[in-house]
Structures are given as C-alpha cells and as structure tokens.
Amino acid sequence: MAQDLTRLSIIEAAGLVKQRKLSPVELVRAHLDRIERLNPKLNAFITVMGDSALREARKAEREVQQGKYRGPLHGIPVSLKDLYWTKGVRTTAGSKIMADFVPTEDCTVVSRFKKAGAVIVGKNHLHEFAIGGTGINPHYPTARNPWDLERITGGSSSGSGAAIASGMTLASMGSDTGGSIRIPAALCGVVGLKATYGRVSKYGVVTLSWSLDHAGPLTRTVADTAAVLRAIAGYDPKDPSTARVRVPDYLAALRGDLRGLRVGLPRDHFFNDVDPEVSQAVHRAVAVLGELGCSVQEVSLPSFRFSAATGTSIAMAEAIAFHEPWLRDRPQDYGADVRDRLEAAMVLTATQYVKAQQLRRVMQREMQAALAQVDVIVSPTCPGTAPLIKKPMVKIGDREQSAASVIGVLTRPCDYTGTPAVSVPCGFDSRGLPIGLQIMGRAWDEATVLKAAHAYEQATEWHQRWPSEPA
Amino acid sequence: MAQDLTRLSIIEAAGLVKQRKLSPVELVRAHLDRIERLNPKLNAFITVMGDSALREARKAEREVQQGKYRGPLHGIPVSLKDLYWTKGVRTTAGSKIMADFVPTEDCTVVSRFKKAGAVIVGKNHLHEFAIGGTGINPHYPTARNPWDLERITGGSSSGSGAAIASGMTLASMGSDTGGSIRIPAALCGVVGLKATYGRVSKYGVVTLSWSLDHAGPLTRTVADTAAVLRAIAGYDPKDPSTARVRVPDYLAALRGDLRGLRVGLPRDHFFNDVDPEVSQAVHRAVAVLGELGCSVQEVSLPSFRFSAATGTSIAMAEAIAFHEPWLRDRPQDYGADVRDRLEAAMVLTATQYVKAQQLRRVMQREMQAALAQVDVIVSPTCPGTAPLIKKPMVKIGDREQSAASVIGVLTRPCDYTGTPAVSVPCGFDSRGLPIGLQIMGRAWDEATVLKAAHAYEQATEWHQRWPSEPA
C-alpha cells in the first residue's frame, strides 16, 4: 500500500482525503518511508522533518474527521528548497555559511501552506545559495537524477526535482532566478512553474537577486501545480514586490479545450543551439498542440540572444548587495564556483548594471509584442538533457558545452521579462532521459499557460512514466 | 497693448482667442517682442524661433477664423527647455557637445503641443545636460533671475523659470530628475509641476537618468499648468515608461473647495535644514490651507534624509550609460562641474547602484504609507531663496551652504518615489526673493495636488506680483 500512495497525484490524494478514504497520516508516513529509503541514494533532502510532519498529519487527520476540510492541500506532504525560512528548522541555503541558521519565523509560503493544511516533510537540496544551474554542491552530497543516478538533476532547485520525480513528496517549492525551477523540472521529467514576478511572496526566501527571483512549485502534474499556486499566490504586505492582482481559481481554469489558442514558435534564440533530439521532441509536442485545436505561428524574439550576459550582470550585482559582508569576512567558506561568480561581479560598474537593465526593458517590450500576436509561446526548457555529475557538459548533437554556461539559456528570458513559464515533460531522449517543453504566457495569465500545459499533458503519456527504483 | 498681452495667463488669453477678441498673431508677437527686449538681460533663451512662431501663429489665427478652435492652448506662445527635440531646430542640451545637433523629428511633447494649437517661440537655457540645480553654465550665458539679476534662477530648467517669471512666454516645458522643474519655479516665483513618473512622454527629450527623469511644465498659474498637462499627458507607444492610465480633465478638477482635505506636514527631513524665512512662509501657507477647510496632521518620512547619496548614485550611473562615449573621446568639452560629477560616477559599482535602488524602494513604501493617512503633503520646495551667481551659496539662517549640494534636498524625494509634486509661490523673503511651497500627492493623482495648489493660489496674492522690469 505504501508504494501505491506515493504514486498518487495531489488531486487524486486530495479526493481520497476529502472522502475520508485516505488518512493524511498514512499518506505522509508513506512518503516519509520513501524518503528514508531513497534519500541516501538521491540526496534530495538536506533536512527531513519526520516528527513534525507526523504531528501535522495527525492534526490534519483530526480536522478531516471533525468535518473541517481545508481544500486540496489538506494533509498533502510537501517540501521546500532549503532557502525557505522554516521556524525552528535550520535553513542552510545549501551553504556552509548558513549551515547553522535557524529562522525564528516562517516564510509567507510556509504560512500559507499551513493554512491550506499541507504537511511539510523536509527541506530540499539546492545549488549553493541558488547560484548555479547544475545543483553540484561542495557542502552537501549532490542530488542525483532518479532517471540516471550518475547524472545531475539540474539546479538550482536540485533536490526539488529529485524528490518529485522519485515520489518522495507531492510538491516542492523551488525558486527561479535564471531557470532554477524549470531546469530541474525538465531534467527530472516533472512539472515546474515560474509564475509572474510578484505573484508569489518571497518574504522569508533567502535572496539571490531581488529583481529576478521568483518562488514557485514543482509537482508531478499540471493540475497539482494549479492547486499549489492557488494556495500560495497573492499579495503579501511583507513582500513589496508582490502585486494586488486577483488570484483566479487555477484548477477551474484548466477545463475546456484548446481550440482557437494561438501558439507562437520563436524564430530566434530558442532553437538556435539545441540538441536535435530535444528539438524534435518539442516539435512533436507542437504538432500535438495543433491536433488539440491550436493554431501555430512564428514569433520573433531576437534580443534574447543577449540574455546570458545581461542576466549575469543583474543577478550577480544584486547578489553582492547580500553577500558582501561574507565575501569580505569568510570567502573560504564558499564553494569555488559560487565564489568565482560573486567575486567577478564585485568589479561590475553601476553603468554595466544600468545597461543590462536597459537591455532587459528591450526584452520585455519584445516579449509583450510577441504575446500580443499569440496566447502562449513554446520552446525547449533546456538545450539538452541531464549531464553527468562527473562531467557536467550538455550534449548538443555531436558537441558538448559546459552545463554551467548553457543549461539556462532558454529559461532566463522569462526571468528578465517577469512573465510566467512552465516546464512540462514532452518525451525522452535515446538514453532515456526526460525532455521538457517550456510554455510561456502573458503577465498574470498563468491560467492560460497552465491550461495549455494540462491539455498537452493529458493528451500524452509522459507524466505516467516513473524512473525505475534505485538499486 | 503689447505690454498688457504678456501679463495674461493662458486661461485669460485662451478665453479671448476663443471669442476672437485676441488674435494669436498679436499674442505671439507681443511675447516675441518681449523676448527680443529682455532676453539679452535675462538669457532665458538659447534659441528664439521668431519666424516659425509667427508662421504658426498665423495658421492658428486662420483656424480660429474658420471656426476650428483646438482648445485652451490654441495660439498660446510656449517654449521648451533646450533638451526637447524640435525638428529642424538645434537642440543643444545646454552643452558644447550637442551645440550643433539638429533633430530630424519632434519629441512627443512638441507633437502634442502642435496638435493642441500651441505656438513654440523658442528653446530655453538650462544647466549643461540638466546635470545640476544652479543653472550656471559655462557654454551659454547664465540665465538671470528676474527678481534680482545678480542671482541664479535655479536649475536645471533655468531659462524656463526666467522666461515665465518675466512674461516672455506663457508656458515652458522643463524636466525634473532631482527637482529641476520645481527649483526654478520656486526661485523665480512661478508654478512648476513634476507629474507622476510615466504621466508625460519623454520620447525625444535628451536623457539624464531613465528611472528618475520627468517632463513637465512651468507656468504663471496653477490653472495654466492644468491646461498644459491635459494637452501633453498620456500613454505614448514611443516611450515605454509611460503608462496606460486615464488622463482626467485637470481644469475641471480645480473646481470645488478644500473642505475635508487632509494635509500632511513632515516631521522628518523636510524642515530640518531650512532658512527660517522660508520655513515661516510655508507654515503661513499651511495656516491658509487650514482656513480653507483642510485638516493638518504630522507625517513621518525618515528615510528621505538619505536621498542625496541615493540620488547621485542612481542618476549619475544612468547618465554615464548615455555619456560614456563622449567622456572618453572629448572630456574637455564638458564644463568642470558636470565632468567631475560624471567622472566620479564612472567608478560606482553595480552593487552601490543596487543598494541605492533598494533604499529607493524603502522611500517609495514610506511615501505610500504617509499618503495613506493624508491626501497631500506640504513642505518648502527649496531650503532657501535664490543664491548669487558669483557666489552660489544658499543662506540658511546665519549659515551658508553650497547651492549645488543643498538646493535639491527637498525636491529629490518625489523623483525617487515617482509621485507628483508641484511648486507654487507662497511669499517673499526680506530681500524680496520668491519662496516656493511644495505640494506632494499620490501617484496618478495630479488632480488633487493641482486642486490644493489652485485653492491656495486663489486665496493669496503672490501670483499677481511681477518683478520690476530690468533697466
């Protein structure tokens, strides 16, 4: 039975909990058992919160029995990238520097999870301070990809990807500054959503880059993401970057078909340097969208080819505003890759930063113009599939490129524009590694992005495949 | 007759033009005559556009005769700080570097002026590249204050202040990055409005700082400012910083009394280091507002004391993105003060800029919180009255401080917050120099700011005083 329970989606489990056919305690225990068994092989969790999770699960069970059902997250086991503040539970940010940091307060997402009845089972592995897309971390054993233990999960929400793909938890909150939710979603074959900038509170989420950071979930299905987003989204007086914009019922928005939806296929940047197997999978997905009634047309996004340099200037300059004291006092406590990136940014001039922000405005206008012609834009999420941990290079046809350099080239654009983007599984390469389809939409219109992703998912079988259990 | 015509307000002149009691040609000719006579003493204009102005005036006259009346700016002589692009007419930005620059296109404000029937009579003096609050310019004879020719007009819209105060034109467009509209308005005894960031298009206005620049008018009365704002405000597809926000009828909004209006008086920063004569005049103005039915309460804006350093980092870093090639290739063509400020900013780090923008967010939240308790906030516009050209120091009681350093300390805050602020005359010091009252309001709510300023103006006599004619 325990094995079966970890294969349920949130929506399936929620139905059973609501009808009192499944106890939150059973459900949470099944996931904790699976974490206990698999985590030593996958390193998806830095901290497991077994005792408090069971306590919360029992409370959730009592509430259901008393007729106080809180909604689709009631009694659902969820986890958090280890940079979400959890009161009384250490929050390492994947670093040595914050290894002993214990927040005295919950972040807003955790407060909202608790209000929705969700049960937090632990804190997930991440790239040190979320500064990197591979998830390779010198301070904590590197998270391993459930589809091939020799490969990375992608980062920086590395443990979130591994935890969802292996059924250790039903939702994991990641954060996305250059693709850090969508990259592990793509490389692990699960769903990952970066909502509109300002949609989800970042209060109590350790910062990387204030103008680029986004908080968002990874789950196994699009409907599960819709349920989680509904619970956590919305204005938060504690986070001035959040906006007073209505939060729709994202689950209700999944209904109906895609007839008449206009899908844009970028002429520039998004297919330029992509592995042919990935490109083919995405084009097959576009054909499926066509069969579902979408019209497909080309769109032009030429300025996004400058996005790598732009992103580094903005993200790293903003990161230093936070890291400066540590860089001065204990530089040796950083991993080499993160320290190199931060130190390089200390000599960035204000004018370089300003020019990067100006270029970002150009990109925002370009995205807005493209999304005036179409309802969503699709592309690969990553240019290739999961690289080896020992040799983190992305295969692009016959060539290989450094994963650190290229893994985020297709995800960064929507961090600059602030517009929503989801990664949804769209197949496997010849080595059996998952491929992600990225669906991008208009600001505040996560509903359409999720509706397109859900219809595509339901028309295909990819989300029903599971990796074989690690030996 | 010519003398009388230059004493009319826009509203008065417009009434006569509409009723065909005054020809636009007569009106424009009267102002051109006055420019010809006074400009050699006041240096308010860098370029006078006499021929084209008379041509436009004749066209305006024909239209009125044909029954095609365009509204309150029809046939009204207006001028522009010499950084607004005018097709075929040199636009120097007060610099040697752009001394021969002739735009091939009008800026959006000029297009809108022309559509409203206004007649452009010339281009006004300014601080070099608008980088400075004194208006002292090594490349063009410094504009002189009509109330005392030995004194500055304030900058950077120095010529605009002198032109309006001396009756050479009925409206002049200035620009405001740290106070450059409101400072000369205060020091010359006229009205100057910086509207909400994004309200007025800056397309074709030579940039200083993209995130701080605001375009806006100087006029003799608040109603005149309302008429000009109505004509020039609104979304412009050519300027992505403009917003799709409805433009109300600002003239209609002036009607009614001030009963129930809540006026905030800042406890912090805005009265800290102000000349007693200025402070007294502003407190007398607050008493008048009380008599008009306003309630007055204290508000707290403590973070604005950091605004000088914040502003320099942001404005100058952004300025360099524009000036960099010239700073490299022809540094000797800058005046010493402007070159020093720009060169100092070249070594600003990206992180310093980021921290300044973060502090700016704190200021924005503080202003928003204060304006949730009150409808408008009042303060002095400048800490003192007009300094001497030979010795540009601001008198603050018994002490003197460098005008370059302190002239903008009370105006900068609303450039950082992007919220609207007007300067309206509120008296004279013992040397007969004008004092400005600053009225600040909520984002997009210029209507309330103008209504309060108008009611105050109409309850007092200050706007009816004229400087004596230069010998």
Side-chain angles (χ1 to χ4, degrees):
Chain A
M1 183 64 181
Q3 177 58 20
D4 290 336
L5 290 183
T6 63
R7 296 241 164 162
L8 295 172
S9 70
I10 292 177
I11 301 299
E12 289 163 345
L16 297 171
V17 168
K18 188 178 182 184
Q19 300 164 48
R20 306 192 199 176
K21 290 182 181 163
L22 171 61
S23 152
V25 177
E26 270 183 281
L27 181 68
V28 167
R29 204 186 297 272
H31 284 89
L32 289 173
D33 288 349
R34 193 161 172 87
I35 292 170
E36 194 178 348
R37 193 151 45 81
L38 297 188
N39 197 50
K41 290 163 185 158
L42 294 174
N43 305 319
F45 285 83
I46 289 177
T47 302
V48 180
M49 293 161 62
D51 292 346
S52 66
L54 283 171
R55 209 161 47 237
E56 292 294 315
R58 282 191 289 268
K59 186 184 155 212
E61 185 179 56
R62 274 197 310 277
E63 286 184 344
V64 174
Q65 285 164 352
Q66 292 160 3
K68 192 185 170 191
Y69 180 69
R70 291 171 180 264
L73 298 191
H74 194 131
I76 300 296
V78 302
S79 60
L80 308 152
K81 186 175 184 175
D82 199 22
L83 44 60
Y84 283 78
W85 282 31
T86 39
K87 186 177 173 180
V89 178
R90 71 168 178 164
T91 299
T92 67
S95 69
K96 183 175 175 184
I97 286 169
M98 289 180 68
D100 301 317
F101 171 63
V102 178
T104 54
E105 195 183 350
D106 281 330
C107 64
T108 294
V109 163
V110 165
S111 302
R112 292 190 179 180
F113 264 148
K114 287 182 176 173
K115 206 176 151 199
V119 174
I120 294 160
V121 297
K123 310 288 294 283
N124 292 115
H125 187 272
L126 66 158
H127 204 110
E128 183 180 4
F129 284 118
I131 301 177
T134 65
I136 297 173
N137 187 320
H139 311 299
Y140 303 88
T142 292
R144 289 172 179 270
N145 195 312
W147 295 92
D148 178 344
L149 301 191
E150 301 306 313
R151 293 182 183 270
I152 66 170
T153 61
S156 63
S157 309
S158 39
S160 300
I164 299 298
S166 62
M168 294 188 201
T169 175
L170 285 171
S172 175
M173 288 301 294
S175 66
D176 194 312
T177 306
S180 286
I181 290 169
R182 291 162 287 157
I183 295 166
L187 269 42
C188 295
V190 301
V191 177
L193 173 73
K194 182 202 83 62
T196 309
Y197 185 84
R199 182 62 100 179
V200 180
S201 171
K202 293 177 291 184
Y203 177 76
V205 182
V206 177
T207 186
L208 196 182
S209 159
W210 71 323
S211 81
L212 291 170
D213 291 344
H214 300 72
L218 290 87
T219 65
R220 282 202 57 82
T221 69
V222 177
D224 286 5
T225 283
V228 172
L229 184 62
R230 169 78 169 175
I232 59 170
Y235 175 71
D236 176 13
K238 293 178 178 171
D239 177 356
S241 76
T242 57
R244 291 183 192 272
V245 177
R246 198 181 65 88
V247 178
D249 181 342
Y250 295 111
L251 271 172
L254 302 183
R255 289 185 211 127
D257 62 41
L258 298 191
R259 268 174 295 185
L261 192 84
R262 295 168 304 168
V263 172
L265 205 56
R267 246 191 305 279
D268 338 82
H269 179 67
F270 287 87
F271 289 91
N272 280 358
D273 217 11
V274 170
D275 184 62
E277 290 194 84
V278 170
S279 184
Q280 283 153 22
V282 169
H283 281 102
R284 280 193 300 269
V286 171
V288 171
L289 288 170
E291 286 159 22
L292 292 171
C294 301
S295 64
V296 180
Q297 67 185 82
E298 284 200 342
V299 292
S300 182
L301 296 163
S303 70
F304 287 93
R305 68 196 172 89
F306 300 110
S307 57
T310 311
T312 296
S313 302
I314 296 173
M316 290 300 105
E318 295 182 359
I320 286 173
F322 178 68
H323 285 277
E324 208 168 38
W326 292 326
L327 285 168
R328 193 182 50 229
D329 298 343
R330 43 192 300 196
Q332 72 285 358
D333 290 340
Y334 285 92
D337 67 323
V338 170
R339 181 175 158 187
D340 283 355
R341 289 188 68 183
L342 287 170
E343 288 182 343
M346 291 181 84
V347 296
L348 278 173
T349 66
T351 302
Q352 288 172 301
Y353 177 88
V354 167
K355 286 181 178 174
Q357 288 282 19
Q358 287 176 328
L359 193 50
R360 187 175 174 188
R361 288 258 180 134
V362 173
M363 293 177 190
Q364 285 167 336
R365 292 211 298 274
E366 221 172 82
M367 184 63 85
Q368 204 176 9
L371 286 166
Q373 295 163 42
V374 295
D375 301 304
V376 295
I377 295 171
V378 299
S379 78
T381 304
C382 294
T385 53
L388 292 165
I389 294 171
K390 271 194 194 148
K391 187 189 167 197
M393 303 292 282
V394 177
K395 168 181 136 349
I396 297 180
D398 299 337
R399 293 168 300 119
E400 288 191 321
Q401 292 196 38
S402 150
S405 302
V406 304
I407 200 73
V409 289
L410 310 181
T411 46
R412 279 193 199 108
C414 288
D415 293 295
Y416 304 156
T417 58
T419 47
V422 70
S423 181
V424 62
C426 73
F428 293 83
D429 72 2
S430 52
R431 290 175 298 189
L433 299 170
I435 297 169
L437 169 71
Q438 180 170 233
I439 305 179
M440 304 170 256
R442 296 191 192 104
W444 309 111
D445 191 15
E446 291 85 3
T448 300
V449 170
L450 292 175
K451 184 180 176 179
H454 175 71
Y456 170 76
E457 173 194 78
Q458 294 302 309
T460 56
E461 309 291 321
W462 311 119
H463 66 292
Q464 292 170 15
R465 296 211 200 165
W466 286 81
S468 54
E469 193 121 334
Chain B
M1 181 64 181
Q3 177 59 22
D4 288 336
L5 291 182
T6 62
R7 295 240 164 162
L8 295 172
S9 71
I10 291 177
I11 301 299
E12 289 164 345
L16 296 172
V17 168
K18 188 179 182 185
Q19 298 164 49
R20 306 194 198 173
K21 290 182 182 163
L22 171 61
S23 151
V25 176
E26 270 182 281
L27 182 66
V28 167
R29 203 186 298 272
H31 284 89
L32 288 173
D33 288 349
R34 193 159 172 87
I35 293 170
E36 194 178 346
R37 193 151 44 83
L38 297 188
N39 196 49
K41 291 162 186 161
L42 294 174
N43 305 319
F45 285 83
I46 290 178
T47 301
V48 181
M49 294 161 61
D51 292 345
S52 66
L54 284 171
R55 208 161 48 235
E56 292 294 315
R58 280 191 289 268
K59 185 182 155 215
E61 185 180 56
R62 274 197 310 277
E63 286 184 343
V64 176
Q65 284 165 352
Q66 292 161 2
K68 191 182 170 192
Y69 180 69
R70 292 172 179 262
L73 298 191
H74 194 132
I76 300 296
V78 302
S79 60
L80 307 152
K81 186 175 184 175
D82 199 22
L83 44 58
Y84 283 78
W85 284 31
T86 37
K87 186 176 172 180
V89 178
R90 71 168 180 164
T91 299
T92 66
S95 69
K96 182 174 176 185
I97 286 169
M98 288 179 67
D100 302 317
F101 171 63
V102 178
T104 53
E105 196 183 349
D106 279 331
C107 63
T108 295
V109 164
V110 166
S111 303
R112 292 189 180 181
F113 265 147
K114 288 183 176 172
K115 204 174 152 201
V119 174
I120 295 160
V121 297
K123 310 288 295 284
N124 292 116
H125 187 272
L126 67 158
H127 204 109
E128 182 180 2
F129 284 119
I131 301 176
T134 64
I136 298 173
N137 187 320
H139 311 299
Y140 302 89
T142 292
R144 289 171 179 269
N145 194 312
W147 295 91
D148 178 346
L149 300 192
E150 300 306 312
R151 294 182 182 270
I152 65 169
T153 60
S156 62
S157 310
S158 39
S160 301
I164 299 298
S166 62
M168 294 189 202
T169 173
L170 285 171
S172 175
M173 288 301 295
S175 66
D176 194 312
T177 306
S180 286
I181 290 170
R182 291 161 288 157
I183 295 166
L187 269 42
C188 295
V190 301
V191 176
L193 173 74
K194 182 202 82 63
T196 309
Y197 185 83
R199 182 61 101 181
V200 179
S201 172
K202 293 177 293 184
Y203 177 77
V205 182
V206 177
T207 184
L208 196 183
S209 159
W210 71 324
S211 79
L212 291 170
D213 291 345
H214 299 72
L218 291 86
T219 63
R220 282 202 57 83
T221 70
V222 177
D224 286 3
T225 283
V228 172
L229 184 61
R230 169 77 170 176
I232 59 169
Y235 175 71
D236 175 13
K238 292 178 178 171
D239 178 356
S241 76
T242 56
R244 292 182 192 274
V245 177
R246 198 181 65 87
V247 177
D249 181 342
Y250 295 111
L251 270 173
L254 301 182
R255 290 185 210 126
D257 61 41
L258 298 190
R259 269 176 294 186
L261 191 84
R262 296 168 303 169
V263 172
L265 204 57
R267 246 192 304 279
D268 337 82
H269 179 67
F270 288 87
F271 289 90
N272 279 357
D273 217 11
V274 170
D275 184 60
E277 289 195 84
V278 169
S279 185
Q280 284 153 22
V282 169
H283 281 101
R284 280 193 300 269
V286 171
V288 171
L289 289 169
E291 287 159 22
L292 291 171
C294 301
S295 64
V296 180
Q297 66 184 83
E298 285 201 340
V299 292
S300 181
L301 296 164
S303 69
F304 287 94
R305 67 195 173 90
F306 300 110
S307 57
T310 311
T312 296
S313 302
I314 296 173
M316 289 300 106
E318 296 181 0
I320 287 172
F322 178 68
H323 286 278
E324 208 167 39
W326 292 325
L327 285 167
R328 194 180 50 230
D329 297 343
R330 44 194 298 197
Q332 72 286 356
D333 290 340
Y334 285 93
D337 68 323
V338 170
R339 181 176 158 186
D340 283 355
R341 290 188 68 183
L342 287 169
E343 287 182 346
M346 290 182 84
V347 297
L348 277 174
T349 67
T351 302
Q352 287 171 302
Y353 178 87
V354 167
K355 286 181 176 173
Q357 288 282 19
Q358 287 176 329
L359 193 49
R360 186 176 175 188
R361 289 259 179 134
V362 173
M363 294 176 190
Q364 284 167 336
R365 292 210 299 274
E366 222 171 83
M367 184 63 85
Q368 204 176 8
L371 286 167
Q373 294 163 43
V374 295
D375 301 305
V376 295
I377 295 171
V378 299
S379 79
T381 305
C382 294
T385 53
L388 292 165
I389 294 171
K390 270 195 193 147
K391 186 189 167 199
M393 303 292 282
V394 178
K395 169 181 137 346
I396 298 181
D398 300 337
R399 293 169 300 121
E400 287 191 322
Q401 293 195 40
S402 149
S405 301
V406 304
I407 200 74
V409 289
L410 309 180
T411 46
R412 279 193 199 108
C414 289
D415 293 295
Y416 304 156
T417 58
T419 47
V422 71
S423 181
V424 62
C426 72
F428 293 84
D429 72 2
S430 53
R431 292 176 296 190
L433 299 170
I435 298 170
L437 169 71
Q438 180 170 232
I439 305 179
M440 304 170 255
R442 296 191 192 105
W444 309 110
D445 191 15
E446 291 86 2
T448 300
V449 169
L450 292 175
K451 185 181 175 179
H454 175 71
Y456 170 75
E457 173 195 77
Q458 295 301 309
T460 57
E461 309 291 320
W462 311 119
H463 66 291
Q464 292 170 17
R465 296 212 201 166
W466 287 80
S468 55
E469 193 121 332

